[in-house]
Amino acid sequence: MVRPPSARSAVPSVGRLGLLEPTAADSLRELAWDNVESIPVLWALSRAPDADLALSTLIRLREALGTEWAALDSALRTDTSLRGRLFALVGSSSAFADHLVIDPSAWQVLLRKGLPTREEVIADMLDAVGAVPENGAYAGPMLFRAGVSGPEAVALLRKRYRDQLMLLAALDLAATVENEPVLPYQVVGRHLTDLADAALTGALAVAVARICKDAPCPVRLAVIAMGKSGACELNYVSDVDVVFVAEPADATATRLAAELMSVGSAAFFEVDAALRPEGKAGALVRTLDSHIAYYKRWARTWEFQALLKNRPMTGDLILGQKYRDALMPMVWTASERPDFVADVQAMRRRVEDLVPADLRERELKLGHGSLRDVEFAVQLLQLVHGRVDETLHVQGTVEALTALAAGGYVGRDDAANLTASYEFLRLLEHRLQLQKLKRTHTLPAADDEEGMRWLARAAHIRPDGRQDAVGVLGAEIRRNAVRVRRLHAKLFYRPLLEAVARLDSDALRLSPDAAIRQLAALGYAAPENALGHLKALTGGVSRKGRIQALLLPTLLEWLGETPNPDAGLLAYRRVSEGLDDQIWFLRELRDEGAIAQRLMIVLGSSEYLPDLLINAPDTIRMYADGPGGPLLLAPQPDDVARGILTAAARYEDPKRAVAAARSLRRHELARVASADLLGMLDVRQVCQALSSVWVAVLEAALQAVIRATEVETHAPAPADLAVIGMGRLGGMELGYGSDADVLFVCDPRPGEDETKAVKWANGVAEKVQRMLGAPSTDPPLHVDAGLRPEGRNGALVRTLAAYAAYYEQWAQPWEVQALLRAHQVAGDQELGLRFLHLIDKVRYPEGGVSADAVREIRRIKARVDAERLPRGANPATHTKLGRGGLADIEWTVQLMQLRYAHDVRALHNTSTLESLDVIEQSKLLDAADVALLRDAWLTATKARNALVLVRGKPADQLPGPGRLLSAVARVAGWPNDDGSEFLDNYMRITRRAKAVVERVFGA
């Protein structure tokens, strides 16, 4: 016999209701809600963002109400609107739950079905302290005197404010539980602002009663709202920024302002006056004339941006309006200031730097794709175009977006999408703040599933059939952050492109003048030229033009953050035109974000690289990331050198062989310079890579010329030929602007006539110099043999025996010093080593060099310091010959080698850095002194390389403060664009190193 299934209870279980607390069933019985009559109430409770919190609060509320619980219980059963407001409130906010339990009768505040007017809120707040209109000469519609001004006034104001805030929160949240109207974001923000105005009006009334006890208020005091309060888009929990204007700005006015801040901060929210002139260091209260004088003479750009949102709030509104009328014309001309772009960029970086890296993805206010991205972009566009378009003279972010779209500065779809994202992020911010009535903008951690589930329900986000509410919330957060970042770029640049290209028939159109204004505000020094480049890039109806139009908004934003956006945009145009027939180029930029961003950084920072990239375009593909990291770091110097030699060896014609070697050198220079500029290589790695490629090209050219002579004469070479690297080439420490200092050594082969052999070797050396130095689009390859015996008057090539005779009889101290960096780099390896063994007796003599030779070195050094510096050069910032520069460090190391290398075998080393390591290990100098010398050499080398990368040509003199110095600082790895800081650091390091140099040379 089969039993019939038992009937399922109509009353939902605690599990079905989503109640997780073990006491939930007992709590429902205690409330008498565990019955059929209570089913609508139970299901409403289950929809609360945190049903367990809501239920536990109701239990506490029942206990607090006692016999009055019946009235609330009855109302909850019959009034669905009240039920939605109360359950949503106590399920979203533990702070308001506590507020209700402490004052249980306050639930009746929630019976109201709509928001009070601004006038009602002000009247209610003033009624809390029995305030009446102030009398006297300075009476006005927003100046009152409290009847209750003792310590109890703060508690009275706090209670009334919290009740009003609770009503707003309940109405805002109700739709999550019952079918109630959704309060628009702007309504919530404006009402919160009305509450803040009313609160500070009440605080001012108490301040008047406390400060002006026996007579009418003797001053006019205007309270100016700033920030979100000024824009009528306040948060639930936020500082309220204010500025005070008074006539006269005397002690009474200052005491009134201070008392208002004290009462307001104790009763409502933090009242912050830090946006006043001179910030917290400035006077709390100023007259109108004092404010005007400050903003005319001293205010910085960010202060005018802050003034965008100023609004007379309370107190003397007439004086407040005079303040606004006087200062707003200055706001709308701020974009004409010469430091406008730099100030705005610096402020943006400061804001981003405030957020720890591990919180940037969770930070709603300041992170990537955050509220500040929207506000920053909107305010900048207002400042740029508002000086000629009064329709943009609005304060709220949403209102400004609407005005920008109506004026044609932002696409209507973009404005609508950005508004939607902004309101979504503000909704999440409001819900997070309501939870505990704490100021926060940080999303729960990714692994905090309970926190994310609560936030999703509080934000009225529901499952979509594929994901649960938490999944939908996460997807929405990511989608909106990405959209904000994308539109942040488009806000600035899409209108510019619409000004020069017909992309959408119904899209906005910036006038040429507006486009030029916008480009100027974005950092372009020659906006007319920039506009011409945009026209060229997006002109026509080709597919490439359309792709460029899609790419350019983001590319231009990245360019705008580089040291030289104008040169970067011109370089991008040149690269695009140079690669017009390369179908992969735009595809790579479109599909590989890393390539596009790195290319813009390179083009906007360096005049050295654009020509290289045009002639070595495959390097651009290496801007991508591979499985093992950036592809720019994949090639190794030894592999590159072998490739150069192999490629050159394929050709019998030396011109073609050298061309092949130079082509591969071009690729390698582009790769190394790109990786260096992007911060992927350190100084040592750069020097090693540059030296290695130079040696390889020199070897390839030498081999090619020798092969050609053998083919031409149908006979083997009559002599062995070696190339000895000198200077920085010998030390394998070349920079971008370094020549290749060399000596050519030959040795006739057995049976060959020495005169003919030397003549042959001279011909080979001259041809190598000529072919490598031939004009080219590459950076020059100058082979300099000026350090040979007798200098430029001596023979270009000498035999080994001739070198031995010369150095034994005629070598000058400076020549001995130069030989310290001699190293075999190309040609016959065995001959090169024989030459090095020969000169070892000269440069590392037994017992060390003589005292006379040391004195001569010191004399020459003193003469070099006095005479070699170019006319007009600054000795403090000349990277090669200046104080503590490269020459100072290298001469110091070489003097130590001359004196001690006969005892310290490890000093037989041509590298300055490696020799410094040996000097430290051998304790020839204090470790601290060696560290100073090393730091100066690295700093000067980095600066010198950066100079070449930025200017595109060899240079040794650091520029003075300005845009060029800032660019050099950025390329040299300085953490910000403050060139003056970089220069100060350079001079401090080199000054300390110079003190060591002087001690060594004076010893």
Side-chain angles (χ1 to χ4, degrees), residues 362-382:
R362 294 170 51 201
E363 173 63 42
L364 291 172
K365 182 178 180 181
L366 305 176
H368 295 303
S370 65
L371 294 165
R372 191 53 55 87
D373 275 343
V374 181
E375 293 162 354
F376 186 94
V378 169
Q379 290 167 27
L380 185 55
L381 286 175
Q382 282 184 276

Side-chain angles (χ1 to χ4, degrees), residues 263-402:
V263 173
S265 296
F268 316 119
F269 35 68
E270 187 70 26
V271 182
D272 190 347
L275 291 178
R276 65 186 183 267
E278 300 179 71
K280 293 181 180 179
L284 181 61
V285 174
R286 288 176 182 251
T287 63
L288 178 58
D289 286 344
S290 177
H291 276 285
I292 294 171
Y294 174 83
Y295 282 102
K296 281 184 175 178
R297 295 187 61 187
W298 308 111
R300 290 170 290 177
T301 301
W302 71 263
E303 293 178 280
F304 289 110
Q305 187 169 352
L307 280 175
L308 266 175
K309 296 183 180 296
N310 85 83
R311 175 182 61 86
M313 182 183 201
T314 191
D316 193 316
L317 297 183
I318 295 175
L319 179 59
Q321 190 59 45
K322 286 182 178 179
Y323 169 91
R324 179 172 171 79
D325 292 343
L327 297 186
M328 288 310 291
M330 299 185 214
V331 171
W332 301 120
T333 57
S335 63
E336 300 173 0
R337 294 160 63 97
D339 56 355
F340 176 77
V341 175
D343 282 354
V344 170
Q345 290 175 336
M347 182 174 66
R348 181 180 177 189
R349 282 193 300 273
R350 282 198 302 271
V351 167
E352 291 181 347
D353 290 344
L354 290 174
V355 185
D358 59 334
L359 290 181
R360 284 180 187 161
E361 300 304 318
R362 294 170 51 201
E363 173 63 42
L364 291 172
K365 182 178 180 181
L366 305 176
H368 295 303
S370 65
L371 294 165
R372 191 53 55 87
D373 275 343
V374 181
E375 293 162 354
F376 186 94
V378 169
Q379 290 167 27
L380 185 55
L381 286 175
Q382 282 184 276
L383 287 170
V384 171
H385 300 295
R387 65 187 178 92
V388 294
D389 189 344
E390 292 188 1
T391 65
L392 302 182
H393 295 189
V394 296
Q395 291 151 310
T397 302
V398 173
E399 292 88 345
L401 269 170
T402 302

Side-chain angles (χ1 to χ4, degrees), residues 626-834:
L631 295 179
L632 285 169
L633 301 182
Q636 297 302 308
D638 290 345
D639 296 332
V640 172
R642 279 193 295 271
I644 290 173
L645 293 172
T646 301
R650 296 192 185 105
Y651 301 98
E652 292 185 1
D653 182 352
K655 290 184 179 179
R656 296 185 68 187
V658 169
R662 293 187 69 158
S663 174
L664 291 178
R665 171 183 181 263
R666 186 164 54 237
H667 281 271
E668 181 64 358
L669 284 181
R671 180 191 74 83
V672 172
S674 297
D676 183 12
L677 193 143
L678 293 167
M680 298 176 184
L681 294 175
D682 62 27
V683 173
R684 296 171 190 255
Q685 292 169 315
V686 170
C687 292
Q688 174 65 32
L690 293 176
S691 302
S692 176
V693 72
W694 232 122
V695 167
V697 172
L698 191 56
E699 179 70 55
L702 185 64
Q703 290 181 8
V705 172
I706 291 174
R707 282 199 309 272
T709 64
E710 290 178 330
V711 170
E712 183 180 343
T713 61
H714 305 289
D720 295 322
L721 184 60
V723 182
I724 307 300
M726 303 288 284
R728 304 196 83 185
L729 176 62
M732 295 299 280
E733 293 171 338
L734 287 177
Y736 296 107
S738 302
D739 292 338
D741 291 311
V742 301
L743 299 178
F744 290 102
V745 186
C746 77
D747 189 32
R749 290 178 178 172
E752 298 288 349
D753 181 74
E754 181 174 320
T755 303
K756 291 182 179 179
V758 171
K759 183 179 179 181
W760 170 86
N762 269 289
V764 170
E766 288 173 355
K767 192 167 186 178
V768 167
Q769 282 185 307
R770 187 169 59 251
M771 293 182 70
L772 290 180
S776 170
T777 56
D778 303 341
L781 285 146
H782 184 51
V783 180
D784 188 349
L787 293 177
R788 63 186 184 266
E790 302 178 62
R792 302 191 185 282
N793 295 321
L796 179 61
V797 183
R798 289 177 183 245
T799 64
L800 192 63
Y803 274 111
Y806 178 84
Y807 287 130
E808 183 178 343
Q809 297 183 57
W810 310 108
Q812 301 295 310
W814 71 265
E815 291 179 297
V816 174
Q817 181 184 352
L819 289 176
L820 290 170
R821 307 198 74 183
H823 190 70
Q824 198 278 332
V825 293
D828 189 273
Q829 182 80 12
E830 191 271 338
L831 175 59
L833 291 175
R834 286 164 59 202

Side-chain angles (χ1 to χ4, degrees), residues 876-877 883 939 958-959 961 965 969 974 978-992:
T877 56
R883 181 188 66 200
T939 300
L958 287 173
L965 178 63
W974 194 247
D978 192 332
S980 296
E981 281 186 14
F982 167 77
L983 200 60
D984 288 345
N985 180 69
Y986 176 89
M987 290 192 292
R988 181 170 57 254
I989 289 171
T990 52
R991 184 175 63 251
R992 292 172 178 172

Side-chain angles (χ1 to χ4, degrees), residues 33-232:
W33 287 2
D34 58 341
N35 49 59
V36 174
E37 293 78 11
S38 303
I39 289 176
V41 176
L42 292 173
W43 284 120
L45 177 66
S46 74
R47 292 190 292 270
D50 186 337
D52 285 295
L53 173 62
L55 179 57
S56 67
T57 303
L58 289 165
I59 291 293
R60 294 165 64 204
L61 194 56
R62 178 180 179 278
E63 293 172 357
L65 283 169
T67 58
E68 296 178 12
W69 165 254
L72 174 56
D73 182 66
S74 175
L76 289 173
R77 293 175 182 276
T78 57
D79 187 342
T80 57
S81 295
L82 172 65
R83 193 160 67 212
R85 290 192 287 276
L86 179 61
F87 287 2
L89 180 74
V90 298
S92 297
S93 174
S94 59
F96 277 123
D98 293 340
H99 177 70
L100 276 172
V101 172
I102 292 170
D103 182 16
S105 62
W107 73 266
Q108 296 179 56
V109 172
L110 303 182
L111 289 169
R112 180 162 186 152
K113 295 183 181 291
L115 289 171
T117 64
R118 173 183 172 85
E119 291 71 23
E120 287 176 316
V121 172
I122 293 173
D124 187 49
M125 200 63 63
L126 293 170
D127 177 67
V129 289
V132 297
E134 174 67 340
N135 296 315
Y138 299 131
M142 289 292 280
L143 186 64
F144 299 85
R145 177 182 291 270
V148 179
S149 58
E152 69 276 16
V154 169
L156 293 170
L157 287 171
R158 183 189 298 117
K159 169 67 170 64
R160 198 66 60 92
Y161 176 78
R162 191 61 62 92
D163 282 349
Q164 289 285 356
L165 194 65
M166 180 178 69
L167 174 60
L168 171 62
L171 290 165
D172 188 15
L173 290 160
T176 65
V177 171
E178 295 288 3
N179 188 22
E180 292 294 300
V182 175
L183 289 186
Y185 156 74
Q186 288 177 278
V187 170
V188 175
R190 183 166 292 279
H191 194 73
L192 284 165
T193 304
D194 290 343
L195 280 176
D197 289 1
L200 292 192
T201 301
L204 180 58
V206 173
V208 169
R210 290 180 176 179
I211 304 302
C212 311
K213 296 179 180 179
D214 303 320
C217 180
V219 297
R220 300 173 67 188
L221 181 68
V223 184
I224 310 297
M226 305 286 281
K228 284 186 168 61
S229 177
C232 298

